[in-house]
Amino acid sequence: MFPGGEDVHFAESIRTASSVVVGAHVDPDGDAVGSTLGLVLALRSIGIDASPVLPSSDAVPQTYSFLPGSELYRHVADLTAPDLFIALDTPGFARLGDAEPLARDARKLIVIDHHPDNARYGTLSIVDASASSVGAMVWGLLGTLGVEPDARIATCLYTALVTDTGRFSYSNTSPEALRTAASMLEAGVDVQQVFTDVYESRSVGALALIGRTLERITCVQDGAIAYSWVTDDDFAETGALKAESENLIDEVRALRGARIVFLMKLNAGAVRVSLRAKGGADVGSVARAFGGGGHSAAAGFTFDGEVDALLNVLLPALTEVLA
Ligand code: AMP
Ligand code: MN
Ligand code: MN
């Protein structure tokens, strides 16, 4: 898995570090939180006092607050630049939000990521675009670190894997991903409990927000492109939390025949866009053209402007990559 010996360099850097902070991208998803906490618990199990940091946020997303170790998260303001910063699931400095200075000023920066557009901005950058999730990459590093994974570590890293593969359904669900999941289960993951915690613990407001999303589904290009949107008012009126909207886009991708779907989150003058491709279309290239990034099948960006202006340029760009 690490043909360049990156795992050995990684282990050496860890062993010689006097302080370690681990962080991931802003608006953290299951892979960001799960891989961060899994690595922190793993490092602590071998006597390294690592701390997880929350970038540009006050609180752990509620969906993932069940994860072991979530109480260890520290705010950026309470930390100083460490000897070693480990950036997970984060393709470039800017996506670290207000944790960026901690990473820049650290003596050593290790990047572990699976985004194909990763800028390799670390002193050591371990990037594997074929990896299903960073959680699975961290799992693959445990042996070299001398960590014997327990159920807590496995639960964090399994949550990263199960969420980034869309519950073992997206195109990144490789035989390797399933073998990794199997060994995580052997280490004690309660699969049913993780499923309930991640996917069956929505608030009534979050379900009402799904209703609004479904009502607004709009099809173009004979249904090959489908989209929907939610506004800040929708969040206020339903009571749904922003952190509960991570999987809203999946409701749109359920549509038969849709090959590209997107969801727009509208707030005062800006539109946050999540793009997904169900077939082979590369929506990552479209996201990059709009100043964002991501994978070919899952990407995102933020547009400063009104929704009509956005659709005028986004729909032609997506139609182009459909062909
Ligand atoms: P999301 O739609 O927020 O679930 O993001 C899907 C994928 O696109 C993830 O891999 C993100 O890391 C990436 N992504 C989303 N927004 C941005 C952005 N503004 N810049 C770079 N990458 C992004
Ligand atoms: Mn992520
Ligand atoms: Mn990821």
Side-chain angles (χ1 to χ4, degrees):
M1 191 179 176
F2 302 104
E6 293 95 337
D7 52 341
V8 177
H9 292 145
F10 176 68
E12 275 166 17
S13 302
I14 299 270
R15 273 190 219 103
T16 54
S18 58
S19 58
V20 182
V21 172
V22 184
H25 62 79
V26 292
D27 297 328
D29 54 16
D31 193 23
V33 180
S35 63
T36 297
L37 293 179
L39 180 57
V40 164
L41 293 178
L43 294 178
R44 287 182 173 225
S45 79
I46 51 169
I48 294 161
D49 185 22
S51 293
V53 66
L54 266 180
S56 301
S57 168
D58 296 333
V60 185
Q62 205 193 324
T63 309
Y64 302 109
S65 61
F66 76 92
L67 283 175
S70 62
E71 72 286 354
L72 300 173
Y73 263 112
R74 308 273 302 271
H75 297 295
V76 169
D78 298 335
L79 293 170
T80 52
D83 194 40
L84 169 63
F85 190 99
I86 306 177
L88 302 177
D89 200 30
T90 307
F93 273 119
R95 296 280 292 160
L96 284 170
D98 65 3
E100 178 177 344
L102 293 178
R104 280 195 188 274
D105 297 343
R107 189 180 62 83
K108 222 167 177 180
L109 171 62
I110 297 180
V111 172
I112 306 176
D113 191 22
H114 65 139
H115 287 89
D117 54 348
N118 187 288
R120 291 175 163 78
Y121 55 101
T123 333
L124 171 66
S125 298
I126 308 177
V127 180
D128 179 2
S130 72
S132 56
S133 57
V134 173
M137 293 178 72
V138 170
W139 183 261
L141 289 164
L142 297 184
T144 318
L145 282 174
V147 172
E148 185 64 45
D150 60 15
R152 285 158 47 90
I153 296 168
T155 297
C156 292
L157 299 178
Y158 173 82
T159 299
L161 174 57
V162 73
T163 53
D164 251 27
T165 56
R167 314 180 207 179
F168 305 111
S169 302
Y170 299 151
S171 56
N172 57 352
T173 310
S174 58
E176 168 84 10
L178 291 169
R179 275 191 285 270
T180 301
S183 47
M184 291 168 167
L185 265 57
E186 281 162 357
V189 176
D190 183 339
V191 167
Q192 163 84 53
Q193 189 60 49
V194 170
F195 175 64
T196 299
D197 285 331
V198 176
Y199 295 105
E200 296 187 322
S201 300
R202 293 279 91 84
S203 65
V204 171
L207 298 183
L209 190 68
I210 292 176
R212 294 186 182 202
T213 305
L214 294 176
E215 280 172 3
R216 293 174 186 154
I217 287 180
T218 305
C219 298
V220 293
Q221 295 294 328
D222 293 328
I225 300 175
Y227 63 90
S228 187
W229 71 91
V230 290
T231 66
D232 268 0
D233 285 347
D234 291 320
F235 283 94
E237 288 161 19
T238 60
L241 302 172
K242 282 275 162 69
E244 292 180 296
S245 63
E246 180 189 327
N247 297 317
L248 260 191
I249 181 73
D250 292 341
E251 308 297 335
V252 187
R253 66 183 290 155
L255 186 69
R256 179 176 57 221
R259 285 153 56 206
I260 293 177
V261 301
F262 64 97
L263 179 78
M264 299 179 288
K265 291 177 190 164
L266 283 50
N267 63 35
V271 187
R272 167 90 185 85
V273 183
S274 285
L275 294 159
R276 302 289 185 268
K278 283 165 69 180
D282 177 10
V283 293
S285 64
V286 177
R288 274 188 288 285
F290 282 84
H295 312 270
S296 73
F301 66 92
T302 298
F303 178 79
D304 289 321
E306 298 301 327
V307 66
D308 289 343
L310 170 62
L311 288 173
N312 278 338
V313 282
L314 179 58
L315 290 174
L318 292 175
T319 302
E320 195 134 311
V321 294
L322 257 188

